[in-house]
């Protein structure tokens, strides 16, 4: 049965409307995987000699054990932020003689073969081999330690599975757990209660008594069984459909009527953002990432003006990037209806451009307190905002014509990569690095002012040509509308 599931996923991948993008993204991820594999392997090989040379009077294994708990907590947080859980489309399986347990076991076992589970092995195994060769401990002692570490990594995998399934739709419920971790971290920092020290002592005891490696294995089995029962209980089409009753949100944004023919599209976009978690999150993230400059401006490490241009483009355009890169995927559920109506595509795209332009202006205004770090910072931010409006918005809208992946607005917004394809990665190059390159060249060969004038000129030129650009981009959307409609009909990510 597992072979059939794998075969179905194989066919789903190669029959996807975004096959080319998927292959390109897979190749990119393979290169990343090779890079991190080599980096972790180098760390695993060099960790024991490095600790032995730096701390000659201490046992390297005991030192590593002191940081095992911190590593596991960091790994859990990293997985929660980055790792995408395996999914299986259960709808076609419900009317077939396939047991729920087999389908659930396929999903859980598939998660065990995640690259995130293999990465720690490049540290654990080489370090364990060094410990055996040095003769500090017996072979079985180190094997027991390695088994316990591998089981702990898998426990983190299934714990992440539980957390994501339970809390991604209600992140507020995670606040008590986060506060507990923060409190323990503060107690650790001030050496009031060093939980990592006592956890390290437990690991030292496990090394001396390798049969205790069965304990993390038992915990792993329990977490697996917990996930299994949890997923089986949701193996229904109507699972999760019953929610608490909420008062209907009837905001109509009547003030948008002053924008004439663009008003209906603006109303739809504002309602979409206001009523759905994922697009609403783009607003919160935009406000949060306005603080990015606080990490760059005070220090001297990134003191080059070109870096300030990057920060300016990023801060004033973060909503533009987060929202604009998924145009028109936000409208995937009713995009075929839009294309079937007598709706001018130019007006549809112009409304998107207006909404995103307003966000750039608002973020530019909110970034004005950075004048504290100098007038040149304020000037760069304003120029970056003008460049975003004139150049980057048309680039984003043009790249949207290559979007063929749908976005389900009712899904969790947190670290949701649905709708993300190769286009979202590639478009980042001209968006973020082209203005930096233009400014750096002119600043290096001519002057600081010349770089700012060039970016401002490009922004103004884009605004002057906005009508022609919208007409051209609308033509591209018109040519690709059937491919986009076909892609939006597919439910795979």
């Amino acid at each position: 049965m597992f072979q059939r599931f794998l075969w179905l996923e194989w066919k789903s991948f190669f029959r996807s409307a975004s096959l080319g993008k998927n292959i390109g993204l897979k190749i990119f991820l393979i290169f990343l995987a090779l890079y991190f594999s080599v980096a972790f392997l180098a760390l695993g090989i060099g960790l024991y000699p490095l600790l032995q040379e730096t701390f000659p009077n201490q046992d390297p294994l005991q030192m590593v054990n002191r940081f095992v708990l911190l590593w596991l907590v960091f790994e859990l947080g990293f997985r929660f932020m980055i790792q995408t859980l395996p999914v299986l489309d259960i709808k076609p399986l419900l009317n077939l003689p396939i047991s729920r347990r087999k389908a659930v076991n396929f999903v859980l076992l598939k998660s065990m073969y995640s690259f995130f589970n293999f990465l720690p092995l490049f540290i654990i195994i080489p370090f364990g081999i060094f410990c055996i060769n040095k003769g500090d401990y017996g072979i079985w002692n180190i094997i027991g330690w390695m088994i316990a570490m591998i089981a702990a990594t898998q426990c983190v995998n299934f714990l992440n599975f539980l957390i994501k399934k339970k809390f991604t739709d209600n992140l507020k419920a995670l606040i008590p757990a986060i506060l507990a971790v923060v409190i323990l971290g503060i107690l650790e920092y001030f050496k009031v209660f060093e939980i990592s020290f006592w956890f390290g002592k437990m690991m030292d005891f496990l090394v001396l008594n390798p049969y205790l490696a069965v304990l993390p294995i038992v915990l792993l089995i329990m977490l697996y069984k917990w996930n299994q029962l949890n997923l089986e209980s949701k193996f229904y089409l109507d699972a999760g459909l019953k929610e608490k009753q909420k008062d209907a949100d009837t905001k109509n944004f009547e003030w948008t009527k002053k924008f004439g023919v663009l008003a209906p599209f603006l109303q739809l976009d504002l309602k979409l953002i206001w009523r759905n978690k994922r697009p609403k999150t783009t607003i919160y993230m935009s406000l949060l990432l306005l603080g990015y400059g606080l990490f760059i401006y005070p220090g001297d490490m990134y003191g080059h003006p070109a870096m300030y241009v990057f920060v300016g483009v990023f801060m004033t355009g973060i909503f533009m990037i987060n929202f604009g890169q998924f145009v028109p995927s936000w409208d995937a559920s009713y995009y075929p209806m839009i294309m079937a109506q007598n709706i001018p595509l130019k007006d549809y795209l112009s409304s998107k451009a207006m909404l995103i332009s307003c966000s750039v202006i608002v973020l530019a205004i909110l970034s004005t307190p950075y004048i504290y770090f100098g007038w040149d910072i304020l000037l760069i931010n304003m120029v970056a905002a003008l460049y975003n409006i004139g150049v980057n918005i048309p680039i984003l809208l043009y790249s949207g014509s290559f979007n063929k992946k749908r976005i389900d607005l009712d899904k969790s917004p947190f670290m949701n990569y649905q709708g993300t394809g190769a286009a979202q990665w590639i478009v980042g190059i001209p968006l973020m690095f082209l203005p930096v390159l233009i400014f750096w060249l002119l600043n290096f060969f001519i002057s600081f002012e010349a770089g700012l004038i060039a970016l401002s000129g490009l922004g103004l030129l884009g605004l002057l040509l906005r009508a022609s650009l919208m007409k051209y981009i609308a033509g591209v959307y018109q040519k690709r509308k059937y491919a986009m409609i076909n892609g939006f009909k597919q439910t795979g990510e």
Side-chain angles (χ1 to χ4, degrees):
M1 185 56 66
F2 281 15
Q3 290 180 345
R4 291 186 180 180
F5 286 142
L6 288 173
W7 177 240
L8 288 173
E9 291 203 345
W10 179 268
K11 290 195 292 186
S12 174
F13 178 81
F14 281 97
R15 291 178 180 178
S16 171
S18 305
L19 175 61
K21 295 180 183 179
N22 290 337
I23 292 176
L25 187 59
K26 293 290 184 185
I27 293 173
F28 175 73
L29 292 176
I30 288 172
F31 278 111
L32 280 181
L34 291 174
Y35 170 79
F36 283 107
S37 297
V38 172
F40 272 63
L41 183 60
L43 177 61
I45 294 173
L47 184 58
Y48 190 99
L50 181 64
L51 291 175
Q52 198 172 42
E53 181 180 347
T54 308
F55 306 97
N57 299 323
Q58 298 190 43
D59 184 353
L61 181 58
Q62 290 184 356
M63 293 189 66
V64 168
N65 285 341
R66 297 295 179 274
F67 293 94
V68 167
L69 180 61
L70 297 178
W71 165 261
L72 294 177
V73 172
F74 172 79
E75 185 180 359
L76 178 61
F78 185 77
R79 284 174 182 262
F80 184 74
M81 297 284 287
I82 302 297
Q83 186 179 10
T84 302
L85 299 181
V87 293
L88 184 66
D89 187 8
I90 65 171
K91 185 176 179 179
L93 305 178
L94 294 178
N95 60 346
L96 298 176
I98 299 174
S99 66
R100 288 182 295 170
R101 178 147 297 185
K102 287 183 178 180
V104 167
N105 285 339
F106 170 76
V107 173
L108 293 176
L109 292 175
K110 185 181 175 182
S111 74
M112 295 181 70
Y113 291 95
S114 168
F115 176 69
F116 291 91
N117 295 328
F118 284 101
L119 208 54
L121 299 182
F122 292 113
I123 297 178
I124 296 171
I125 295 176
F127 183 78
I129 293 173
F130 266 98
C131 291
I132 293 174
N133 288 338
K134 296 296 182 179
D136 298 335
Y137 299 92
I139 295 177
W140 289 109
N141 298 87
I142 300 302
I143 290 177
W145 177 82
M146 288 193 292
I147 291 174
M149 290 296 296
I150 293 170
T153 298
Q154 292 290 351
C155 286
V156 171
N157 172 58
F158 288 119
L159 186 58
N160 176 53
F161 214 113
L162 283 171
I163 293 174
K164 276 205 166 187
K165 288 294 182 183
K166 187 173 181 62
F167 294 110
T168 46
D169 287 330
N170 184 18
L171 293 177
K172 294 179 181 178
L174 268 178
I175 292 177
I178 295 173
L179 287 177
V181 172
V182 170
I183 291 171
L184 288 174
I186 293 173
L187 295 176
E188 176 87 18
Y189 180 79
F190 290 104
K191 297 184 179 181
V192 177
F193 177 67
E194 298 181 75
I195 186 172
S196 62
F197 173 81
W198 294 108
F199 191 87
K201 286 290 187 182
M202 292 170 56
M203 293 298 297
D204 295 340
F205 188 72
L206 184 146
V207 172
L208 297 176
N209 303 274
Y211 60 87
L212 293 178
V214 71
L215 295 178
I217 295 176
V218 171
L219 178 60
L220 172 61
I221 295 172
M222 292 171 61
L223 288 172
Y224 182 93
K225 194 68 179 178
W226 189 357
N227 275 287
Q228 187 184 66
L229 296 175
N230 185 40
L231 291 179
E232 284 180 359
S233 67
K234 299 178 180 179
F235 205 92
Y236 301 97
L237 278 180
D238 58 348
L241 290 180
K242 295 182 179 179
E243 299 179 351
K244 294 180 180 179
Q245 292 184 353
K246 299 179 182 179
D247 294 333
D249 193 336
T250 57
K251 282 187 179 295
N252 291 318
F253 301 99
E254 296 291 338
W255 54 269
T256 58
K257 290 182 178 180
K258 65 179 69 175
F259 294 104
V261 294
L262 302 184
F265 306 110
L266 286 172
Q267 284 184 352
L268 286 175
D269 285 331
L270 290 172
K271 289 177 182 178
L272 179 143
I273 293 171
W274 185 262
R275 297 174 181 177
N276 297 280
K277 289 183 179 180
R278 183 169 177 183
K280 187 186 290 187
T281 303
T282 60
I283 297 178
Y284 300 146
M285 291 300 297
S286 300
L287 297 174
L288 180 64
L289 291 174
L290 267 177
Y292 182 62
L294 296 175
F295 296 95
I296 305 298
Y297 298 142
D300 297 328
M301 184 182 300
Y302 306 106
H304 195 281
M307 184 61 189
Y308 297 155
V309 172
F310 176 87
V311 176
V313 171
F314 177 79
M315 288 196 307
T316 61
I318 186 60
F319 179 85
M320 173 193 72
I321 296 169
N322 285 337
F323 185 83
Q325 68 177 328
F326 295 115
V327 173
S329 296
W330 297 112
D331 307 321
S333 58
Y334 51 87
Y335 193 74
M337 183 195 71
I338 294 176
M339 293 297 100
Q341 302 295 318
N342 186 22
I343 295 175
L345 269 173
K346 183 181 176 182
D347 292 343
Y348 171 79
L349 294 171
S350 295
S351 70
K352 305 287 186 186
M354 178 178 288
L355 176 64
I356 299 171
S357 298
C358 290
S359 75
V360 174
I361 294 171
V362 170
L363 291 173
I365 294 172
L366 292 176
S367 70
T368 52
Y370 283 118
I371 194 176
Y372 173 81
F373 297 101
W375 283 94
D376 55 334
I377 299 296
L378 177 64
L379 187 59
I380 288 173
N381 287 344
M382 296 303 110
V383 169
L386 180 59
Y387 181 88
N388 278 332
I389 295 173
V391 179
N392 279 344
I393 289 177
I395 291 175
L396 267 178
L397 293 178
Y398 175 78
S399 69
S401 65
F402 298 93
N403 288 342
K404 294 189 292 185
K405 291 190 173 185
R406 67 181 290 114
I407 291 179
D408 293 329
L409 300 174
D410 57 345
K411 285 200 171 185
S412 168
F414 194 74
M415 288 300 161
N416 186 346
Y417 299 105
Q418 188 187 45
T420 304
Q424 280 70 36
W425 297 93
I426 295 172
V427 76
I429 297 174
L431 282 181
M432 302 302 299
F433 297 107
L434 182 59
V436 174
L437 177 62
I438 293 172
F439 176 84
W440 181 83
L441 289 173
L442 292 173
N443 180 61
F444 183 79
F445 290 105
I446 304 178
S447 66
F448 173 82
E449 291 76 12
L452 292 183
I453 291 172
L455 294 181
S456 302
L458 289 172
L460 289 172
L461 182 63
L463 285 173
L464 293 174
L465 299 176
R466 174 62 63 87
S468 300
L469 289 172
M470 288 296 105
K471 184 177 179 180
Y472 171 75
I473 296 171
V476 177
Y477 273 72
Q478 189 67 35
K479 291 178 182 178
R480 295 185 51 80
K481 72 173 184 178
Y482 295 111
M484 296 166 73
I485 290 171
N486 185 46
F488 291 151
K489 288 180 179 178
Q490 299 193 26
T491 58
E493 298 185 11

